Amino acid sequence: MTLRLRVLVGLGLAASAACLPVHAFGLMDAFVAARQYDPQYRAAWQAREAGVQEERIARAQLLPQASVTYGYNRNWLDQKIEQLNGRVQRESNSNYPSYAGAVEVRQPLFNAQAWAGYKQGQAMSQAAEAEFDGRHQELMLRLYEAYSGALLARDQLAIAKAKHVALGEQMRSNERMFKAGEGTRTDMIETRSRYDVAEASVIEAEDELGNALRTLGTLVGPGHVQSVDALEGLLPKFSPSPTQVDSIDSWVQLALSSNAKLIANRYGVQAADADVSRKRAGHYPTVDLIASHGLNEADSVSTINQRNRTTMVGVQVSVPLYSGGGVSASTTQAVAKYERAQADLDGVRDTVIVELRKNYNLIKSNATKIRALESAVASAQLLVEATRKSVAGGVRVNLDVLNAEEQLYTSRRDLAQARYDYLNAYMQLRYHAGVLSIDDMETVARYFAPSGSSGRGAAYSQAGGKNAVARK
């Protein structure tokens, strides 16, 4: 292939790539990336891997323990035998090898401390599993908050820019009217003041957007968030309905049985209770079955050139008599830890119920709030148009236009916030109930679509997706 042909092919490929649509980075894409990258999630997984080993470690104390020992030595013996009168009867020097080997197997028959430790290890392993389940659900919440935070910052920036442009047009209109003798200098000053504030708001919104993107990047990896334009946005038609949300009592009962934090704390109480039994068992005797087989040669001076083989099977009983008060102190300490674990469980339960009720009410109130703000935005838009016509007719003044525009942009900002808050309350409700899953993430993800995508929104509406978030 000639150089010219290579260049033409390269240019053709580049042009083709430029024509390809940019793949939007949706909420589920972000979730997949976060499970691979997020440091907190990876740390939670390793904590789970470490925690589930507690049961195996404790169970090992109840299983047979086998050991093999072997030793080989080179010995130098200087031997001198004296009679009672001090005369040396015999003196000899020798150099000989010796070795000793043994195999021992020990099986606990009665060990209350090891058994209680096994119960504690079981509870700790189950607590680790429950804690990781909670961390997995927390990842969904943190990801949605970061993702929606970036989108909200983008919306806020768009609103701030639109307000800045509108005030700029109003300012130029004031100048034209002033030159024509139909306006006042006061109108120009008022608009200029609002314009400068709007310009500062744009700069602030740009900073907020940069911070939001960096926050999202800490979860999914900075390489995934090159531009906020790649993120999918909320569908234009957003009409939540809370009518299918179950009663709060049903959600409370679900949370008491399924909430990951509550489950983990319950296992924590079980582990603390087992620890009390384990520490108290320090006063109890232990019984072990022991079997050993040994082979040694010349292991002492009296057995030089002798080889001995011994086999032993027996029962060993160990009875603790006094440990300086350590067992009693350890038991008292374990009881205090058990009471603390019980108090922590009560505190978590109360917090879960409070958060559950709060988000249950937020779902219903935000659904109503969204509809009210949608009407407010439409009304504010009509008010701006009517006020401008009234100013032209001499009925209203410039300040009325500025106030109407301020009301419009405030309503738009509040509407955007309410939409994201509604979805957040839905996820928070299911999280505190302990049932937040990937299916819920997919349900929320259907509320987002690439910019300019109408087909997906239509298909979603036909599927009845607008009520999906309200279902349990």
Side-chain angles (χ1 to χ4, degrees):
M1 182 182 292
T2 64
L3 177 61
R4 182 179 180 182
L5 183 57
R6 290 179 181 176
V7 172
L8 291 175
V9 172
L11 292 175
L13 292 175
S16 300
C19 296
L20 292 175
V22 178
H23 175 67
F25 190 61
L27 184 62
M28 293 307 298
D29 298 324
F31 180 61
V32 172
R35 288 203 296 184
Q36 296 293 328
Y37 180 83
D38 180 53
Q40 294 187 37
Y41 182 78
R42 288 188 285 117
W45 172 256
Q46 297 303 327
R48 179 257 178 202
E49 288 293 291
V52 296
Q53 303 303 319
E54 294 290 345
E55 180 180 0
R56 300 178 184 177
I57 294 172
R59 186 175 58 216
Q61 302 303 313
L62 299 173
L63 299 178
Q65 309 290 318
S67 62
V68 176
T69 59
Y70 179 80
Y72 177 85
N73 303 296
R74 171 62 62 175
N75 304 277
W76 287 267
L77 175 65
D78 293 330
Q79 188 178 46
K80 182 170 63 175
I81 301 177
E82 296 183 356
Q83 296 180 350
L84 294 177
N85 58 8
R87 296 180 60 184
V88 176
Q89 181 181 6
R90 187 176 61 186
E91 184 174 356
S92 64
N93 297 319
S94 60
N95 184 344
Y96 65 95
S98 66
Y99 66 87
V103 177
E104 181 180 283
V105 178
R106 180 184 296 264
Q107 169 62 54
L109 297 179
F110 177 79
N111 191 325
Q113 196 168 31
W115 179 253
Y118 174 62
K119 291 295 184 182
Q120 183 183 19
Q122 278 186 318
M124 293 174 68
S125 294
Q126 291 168 329
E129 292 278 10
E131 287 175 0
F132 176 73
D133 182 45
R135 293 289 187 176
H136 186 259
Q137 296 184 47
E138 285 178 7
L139 175 65
M140 300 182 196
L141 290 181
R142 291 189 294 113
L143 177 65
Y144 173 77
E145 290 174 357
Y147 192 90
S148 63
L151 292 178
L152 179 61
R154 181 176 69 179
D155 294 344
Q156 303 286 39
L157 178 58
I159 292 172
K161 286 182 176 180
K163 181 179 179 181
H164 184 256
V165 171
L167 287 172
E169 294 176 354
Q170 183 70 21
M171 187 169 59
R172 287 187 290 273
S173 176
N174 291 152
E175 291 175 354
R176 289 194 299 268
M177 293 179 67
F178 179 75
K179 291 178 181 179
E182 298 178 0
T184 65
R185 188 173 297 276
T186 301
D187 293 340
M188 297 174 59
I189 294 174
E190 289 175 347
T191 306
R192 182 70 190 185
S193 176
R194 300 281 183 101
Y195 178 83
D196 292 339
V197 173
E199 189 173 15
S201 298
V202 170
I203 297 174
E204 182 180 359
E206 289 175 344
D207 292 339
E208 291 294 334
L209 178 57
N211 293 333
L213 288 177
R214 283 187 287 273
T215 300
L216 180 59
T218 60
L219 272 73
V220 301
H224 289 286
V225 188
Q226 300 295 338
S227 171
V228 70
D229 294 331
L231 303 182
E232 295 183 351
L234 279 177
L235 292 170
K237 298 297 183 181
F238 189 98
S239 301
S241 174
T243 55
Q244 298 184 28
V245 177
D246 289 346
S247 66
I248 184 60
D249 293 334
S250 300
W251 285 103
V252 169
Q253 293 302 319
L254 185 61
L256 293 178
S257 62
S258 304
N259 182 271
K261 285 187 177 180
L262 279 175
I263 293 174
N265 278 70
R266 288 194 188 103
Y267 284 128
V269 171
Q270 292 181 18
D273 186 37
D275 189 47
V276 173
S277 300
R278 187 174 70 88
K279 296 297 177 59
R280 186 175 289 127
H283 290 300
Y284 302 157
T286 60
V287 181
D288 297 331
L289 175 65
I290 301 177
S292 66
H293 177 75
L295 179 65
N296 58 74
E297 180 178 344
D299 60 338
S300 66
V301 176
S302 60
T303 59
I304 296 177
N305 296 324
Q306 294 182 21
R307 179 177 296 177
N308 301 307
R309 186 188 302 270
T310 59
T311 300
M312 180 271 291
V313 177
V315 175
Q316 185 181 75
V317 179
S318 177
V319 181
L321 297 178
Y322 181 67
S323 61
V327 173
S328 298
S330 297
T331 303
T332 303
Q333 183 186 61
V335 170
K337 290 182 178 180
Y338 169 78
E339 296 295 338
R340 185 185 68 181
Q342 186 65 57
D344 290 340
L345 174 60
D346 294 339
V348 171
R349 182 177 59 249
D350 294 342
T351 301
V352 166
I353 293 176
V354 169
E355 291 296 324
L356 196 71
R357 292 181 180 276
K358 181 181 76 174
N359 287 284
Y360 178 86
N361 293 329
L362 281 176
I363 286 182
K364 292 193 170 183
S365 62
N366 276 329
T368 305
K369 185 178 180 181
I370 288 171
R371 289 192 290 269
L373 286 172
E374 287 174 342
S375 299
V377 169
S379 300
Q381 183 66 52
L382 294 175
L383 178 61
V384 170
E385 296 173 359
T387 305
R388 285 176 178 171
K389 293 180 180 179
S390 298
V391 171
V395 180
R396 296 290 185 92
V397 296
N398 181 71
L399 183 60
D400 295 327
V401 176
L402 297 178
N403 289 337
E405 290 179 342
E406 185 71 28
Q407 181 179 345
L408 172 62
Y409 294 116
T410 300
S411 298
R412 286 179 177 174
R413 181 194 62 203
D414 294 343
L415 176 58
Q417 181 72 64
R419 287 172 171 174
Y420 294 118
D421 288 346
Y422 174 83
L423 294 177
N424 183 62
Y426 163 75
M427 295 187 67
Q428 290 279 353
L429 177 67
R430 297 188 67 81
Y431 165 71
H432 289 292
V435 293
L436 183 62
S437 65
I438 297 178
D439 291 339
D440 298 312
M441 284 289 291
E442 292 176 345
T443 298
V444 173
R446 287 196 290 269
Y447 275 80
F448 298 87
S451 300
S453 174
S454 58
R456 177 177 175 181
Y460 172 67
S461 179
Q462 292 173 2
K466 70 177 184 178
N467 294 327
V469 170
R471 299 190 184 101
K472 188 177 79 171

